[in-house]
Amino acid sequence: MCGEEGYRRVELMSKGTLALLIHGGTDNWSPERWKARFDDVCRDRPVRLLADASLDPAEVAYAAVWKPKPGELAAFSKLRAIFNLGAGVDALMADRSLPNVPLVRVAVPDLTGRMTEYVVLHVLMHHRQEPYLRQSQREKRWAPKFQWAAGAVSVGIMGLGTLGADAAQVLQRIGFKVAGWSRSARQLEGIECFHGSAGLEAFLRRTDILVCLLPLTDQTRGILDRDVFTRLNRTSPLGAPVLINAGRGGLQNEADILACLDDGTLGSASLDVFTQEPLPPDSPFWSHPKVVLTPHNAADTDPDAISRYVADQIARFEAGGALENVVNFTRGY
Amino acid sequence: MCGEEGYRRVELMSKGTLALLIHGGTDNWSPERWKARFDDVCRDRPVRLLADASLDPAEVAYAAVWKPKPGELAAFSKLRAIFNLGAGVDALMADRSLPNVPLVRVAVPDLTGRMTEYVVLHVLMHHRQEPYLRQSQREKRWAPKFQWAAGAVSVGIMGLGTLGADAAQVLQRIGFKVAGWSRSARQLEGIECFHGSAGLEAFLRRTDILVCLLPLTDQTRGILDRDVFTRLNRTSPLGAPVLINAGRGGLQNEADILACLDDGTLGSASLDVFTQEPLPPDSPFWSHPKVVLTPHNAADTDPDAISRYVADQIARFEAGGALENVVNFTRGY
């Protein structure tokens, strides 16, 4: 990717060093494994790890980051661009000392497909009464319950970017009545689209299963609260509305979710994200009978696809092209 | 449906009585609720229940049946057609005293959609490691595991009728590599199709998740056995092949499934059907850690859609039209 093509275009811009600032913990976020992948796709570009004692910050042109510590990027005085290795950039944007260079979000088809898998799986699990069926199996009870068809259920998706639009299309193909809501007006073929605060009320009123894929911004922080939950439709065959949040933990008011599950305002919830991650062992979400919990793995980043994406962007950029998916700091994502 | 249209066409064929022979047990199969629905869509046609003591078998022109007892239909000497209220007709065809009149299968879009919901849900549950994630939640462990994308998994669907074709298309849209196998050659856009005994080996060799939607015939009885399981692909990210049977219990060799789950030939299984239903309380399937069990509810018959379908067919038939989806006794479905 950065190979021969990069050599030919070296006159346009020098081949900058790529530094990896990766904090994580799980296997998927081993800095050494990421370095091996980037070495593979940037064979003639220096790729350095933050932990490398001989790393001179002034030689670094690009930073590829995962959960960098606040202030950590300020040391790199010659940065040309920052690549975030996931879709959400809220934490990075909160770093006031972030160098004033383009911040690039990941947007690869692989990530979109994975999120659609998660959304379709969890919508179907609630729709098809999976928690009840697992309980029946544990109790050895052959007890089929009335099962409505997908056409009897309205799914509402908050956030109609690449991820929301793809999930909406697949859910509609399966037979659900699908609508979407976004900050600004969007049009999606065959999907009823609402937007802005003016459109929120009507969107919520027709929604049985609420799927949240919003970016976390000043406008969306804590948007999933009792006020929203009480306005969801209460006459679906599901009995009570369902919440699925695969966006960001900061979008949800967790005390409200727990209270609304307990008083029946919500019937159940699938949560992939939390305000504190890893979720503390004493969180009531773990053992709540109405919660289906996943450890922020709805749309894992595929290291191979992401490293190729970053390498391609850098090569194009050094050849005089524009960076894609650059974060708009005014909009907030 | 059988209303005004039926009146106008009464000269073509007399308006025959419809008798309901419904045995079941669960709410969905209450004969009285079915009668109310048929009364609603056949307002000027007599609709009678088998339990009605005054029912004269010789006045019955049509029978709509669910699990009729062997020999029960032989008493109806003036029958013109039998409508089975579900998709599978294997039990009916085994009744040697069945009157020699057209036997009609249900084929309504609603049934197809429900089966696709079930297949997509269960493929995604195994693909996305749901059993592991539920176990982690119970143990309060935040322990994301590597998650491959759908494109890394090959789903193979046995049975490419209306149901199999629809499920194949949705799974492909989600990103799975999908192939199908059927008795005789089929073509489905974008789906690799195998057929006949000559095509079975290659189909199984490339399959990670095997979905069975075959009809139960003399040729397919017991087809899901160790011989088939051992030929499935063993190099997928799932670790070991997965079986999903939503066809008929008679398709599966249950001793082989249990032995293959225990010795690792199969990694896990979703079973909606069993050779004996309801599944006996002492069946080892209930508590097997690798089995996801549902009580034959993959594609519930929707009483409203089915009763309209039967009423429409009768009205068209009496007006001189042909019956649709008539079972071919030679083919076996």
Side-chain angles (χ1 to χ4, degrees):
Chain A
M1 306 293 169
C2 323
E4 286 181 41
E5 197 177 7
Y7 273 125
R8 282 198 306 273
R9 284 156 172 167
V10 73
E11 71 280 8
L12 287 168
M13 195 184 287
S14 68
K15 194 167 288 297
T17 294
L18 170 65
L20 306 182
L21 282 70
I22 290 174
H23 300 281
T26 68
D27 273 5
N28 217 13
W29 291 106
S30 145
E32 290 72 21
R33 284 172 61 186
W34 277 92
K35 181 169 186 315
R37 287 193 186 90
F38 273 109
D39 281 338
D40 199 41
V41 290
C42 300
R43 262 171 242 168
D44 56 348
R45 176 187 309 285
V47 177
R48 310 289 295 273
L49 284 177
L50 182 64
D52 186 338
S54 68
L55 178 68
D56 172 9
E59 82 183 54
V60 173
Y62 309 100
V65 307
W66 182 251
K67 299 189 180 169
K69 293 176 180 153
E72 199 167 54
L73 280 153
F76 299 90
S77 55
K78 299 283 171 56
L79 267 189
R80 298 177 194 161
I82 301 167
F83 295 87
N84 189 47
L85 297 175
V89 289
D90 41 278
L92 266 174
M93 293 182 62
D95 181 354
R96 297 291 163 202
S97 68
L98 202 70
N100 184 21
V101 299
L103 171 59
V104 177
R105 274 185 305 130
V106 154
V108 293
D110 176 79
L111 186 69
T112 306
R114 285 162 187 259
M115 186 58 90
T116 294
E117 293 173 19
Y118 175 91
V119 171
V120 171
L121 169 60
H122 285 262
V123 167
L124 283 172
M125 279 172 64
H126 293 286
H127 158 58
R128 299 276 311 196
Q129 309 177 79
E130 259 301 306
Y132 165 79
L133 291 167
R134 284 319 109 236
Q135 182 65 26
S136 298
Q137 178 175 355
R138 279 193 293 276
E139 296 169 359
K140 305 189 180 186
R141 288 194 306 114
W142 183 273
K145 259 194 187 175
F146 170 70
Q147 179 61 57
W148 53 90
V153 175
S154 294
V155 180
I157 300 182
M158 298 181 94
L160 291 176
T162 311
L163 302 181
D166 192 66
Q169 282 161 359
V170 175
L171 288 168
Q172 191 186 47
R173 171 64 182 80
I174 292 173
F176 292 100
K177 291 178 284 191
V178 182
W181 179 86
S182 50
R183 203 184 62 120
S184 51
R186 302 290 293 247
Q187 288 207 321
L188 288 176
E189 199 184 318
I191 310 284
E192 195 179 2
C193 293
F194 299 85
H195 74 276
S197 46
L200 188 59
E201 176 75 25
F203 166 78
L204 295 172
R205 220 168 34 221
R206 52 77 67 203
T207 292
D208 305 324
I209 299 181
L210 181 67
V211 177
C212 184
L213 297 174
L214 289 168
L216 181 60
T217 69
D218 288 346
Q219 284 73 46
T220 62
R221 188 173 300 279
I223 193 171
L224 299 174
D225 64 3
R226 177 178 286 277
D227 184 48
V228 156
F229 304 147
T230 53
R231 290 189 276 163
L232 294 166
N233 179 42
R234 301 201 61 78
T235 62
S236 87
L238 292 157
V242 172
L243 168 68
I244 298 175
N245 186 12
R248 274 286 184 268
L251 297 163
Q252 69 199 13
N253 180 322
E254 297 188 343
D256 279 8
I257 292 177
L258 286 164
C260 287
L261 285 170
D262 288 337
D263 71 15
T265 302
L266 288 175
S268 57
S270 280
L271 303 175
D272 186 54
V273 289
F274 300 90
T275 50
Q276 191 184 340
E277 295 178 8
L279 188 66
D282 62 352
S283 164
F285 284 122
W286 287 112
S287 53
H288 200 292
K290 296 180 178 175
V291 171
V292 179
L293 186 159
T294 44
H296 201 151
N297 74 338
D300 265 359
T301 326
D302 176 56
D304 291 336
I306 305 288
S307 50
R308 273 196 304 272
Y309 166 86
V310 171
D312 283 353
Q313 283 238 47
I314 295 178
R316 211 168 40 231
F317 181 62
E318 293 190 345
L323 292 167
E324 292 174 353
N325 299 304
V326 174
V327 171
N328 177 330
F329 273 71
T330 308
R331 191 177 61 172
Y333 61 92
Chain B
M1 306 296 166
C2 324
E4 287 181 40
E5 199 178 5
Y7 272 125
R8 283 199 304 274
R9 283 159 171 167
V10 73
E11 70 280 9
L12 287 169
M13 196 185 285
S14 68
K15 193 168 287 297
T17 294
L18 171 65
L20 307 181
L21 281 70
I22 291 175
H23 301 281
T26 68
D27 273 5
N28 217 13
W29 292 106
S30 144
E32 290 72 22
R33 285 172 62 186
W34 276 92
K35 180 170 186 316
R37 288 193 185 89
F38 272 109
D39 281 338
D40 200 41
V41 290
C42 299
R43 262 172 241 168
D44 56 347
R45 176 187 310 283
V47 177
R48 311 290 296 273
L49 285 176
L50 182 64
D52 185 338
S54 68
L55 177 69
D56 173 9
E59 83 183 52
V60 173
Y62 309 100
V65 307
W66 181 251
K67 299 188 179 168
K69 294 176 180 153
E72 200 168 51
L73 280 154
F76 299 90
S77 56
K78 299 285 171 54
L79 268 189
R80 298 176 195 161
I82 301 167
F83 295 88
N84 189 47
L85 296 175
V89 289
D90 42 277
L92 265 174
M93 292 182 63
D95 181 355
R96 297 289 163 204
S97 67
L98 202 70
N100 183 22
V101 298
L103 170 59
V104 178
R105 275 184 306 128
V106 155
V108 293
D110 175 81
L111 185 69
T112 307
R114 285 161 187 259
M115 186 57 91
T116 294
E117 293 173 19
Y118 174 91
V119 171
V120 171
L121 169 59
H122 285 263
V123 167
L124 282 173
M125 279 171 63
H126 292 286
H127 158 59
R128 299 277 309 195
Q129 309 176 79
E130 259 302 305
Y132 166 78
L133 291 166
R134 287 316 109 232
Q135 182 65 25
S136 299
Q137 178 175 354
R138 280 193 293 276
E139 295 170 359
K140 304 189 180 187
R141 289 194 304 116
W142 183 273
K145 258 193 190 175
F146 170 70
Q147 179 61 58
W148 52 90
V153 175
S154 293
V155 180
I157 300 182
M158 298 181 94
L160 291 177
T162 312
L163 303 181
D166 191 66
Q169 283 160 359
V170 176
L171 288 168
Q172 190 185 48
R173 170 64 182 80
I174 291 172
F176 292 99
K177 292 179 283 190
V178 183
W181 179 86
S182 51
R183 202 184 62 121
S184 50
R186 303 289 295 245
Q187 288 207 321
L188 289 176
E189 198 183 320
I191 310 284
E192 195 180 2
C193 294
F194 300 84
H195 74 276
S197 45
L200 187 59
E201 177 74 26
F203 166 78
L204 295 172
R205 219 167 36 220
R206 51 77 66 201
T207 292
D208 304 324
I209 299 181
L210 181 68
V211 176
C212 184
L213 296 173
L214 288 168
L216 181 59
T217 69
D218 287 346
Q219 284 73 46
T220 62
R221 186 173 302 277
I223 193 170
L224 300 174
D225 63 4
R226 176 179 287 277
D227 182 48
V228 156
F229 305 147
T230 52
R231 290 188 277 163
L232 294 166
N233 179 42
R234 301 202 61 78
T235 62
S236 87
L238 292 156
V242 173
L243 168 68
I244 298 177
N245 186 12
R248 275 285 185 269
L251 297 164
Q252 68 199 13
N253 180 324
E254 298 187 342
D256 279 8
I257 293 178
L258 286 164
C260 287
L261 286 168
D262 288 339
D263 71 16
T265 303
L266 288 175
S268 57
S270 279
L271 303 175
D272 185 55
V273 288
F274 300 89
T275 51
Q276 190 184 341
E277 295 178 8
L279 188 66
D282 61 352
S283 164
F285 284 123
W286 287 112
S287 54
H288 200 291
K290 297 180 177 174
V291 172
V292 179
L293 185 160
T294 45
H296 201 151
N297 74 339
D300 265 359
T301 324
D302 176 56
D304 292 336
I306 305 287
S307 50
R308 274 196 303 274
Y309 165 86
V310 171
D312 283 353
Q313 282 238 48
I314 295 179
R316 212 167 41 232
F317 180 62
E318 293 190 346
L323 292 167
E324 293 173 351
N325 300 305
V326 174
V327 171
N328 176 331
F329 274 71
T330 308
R331 191 178 60 173
Y333 59 92

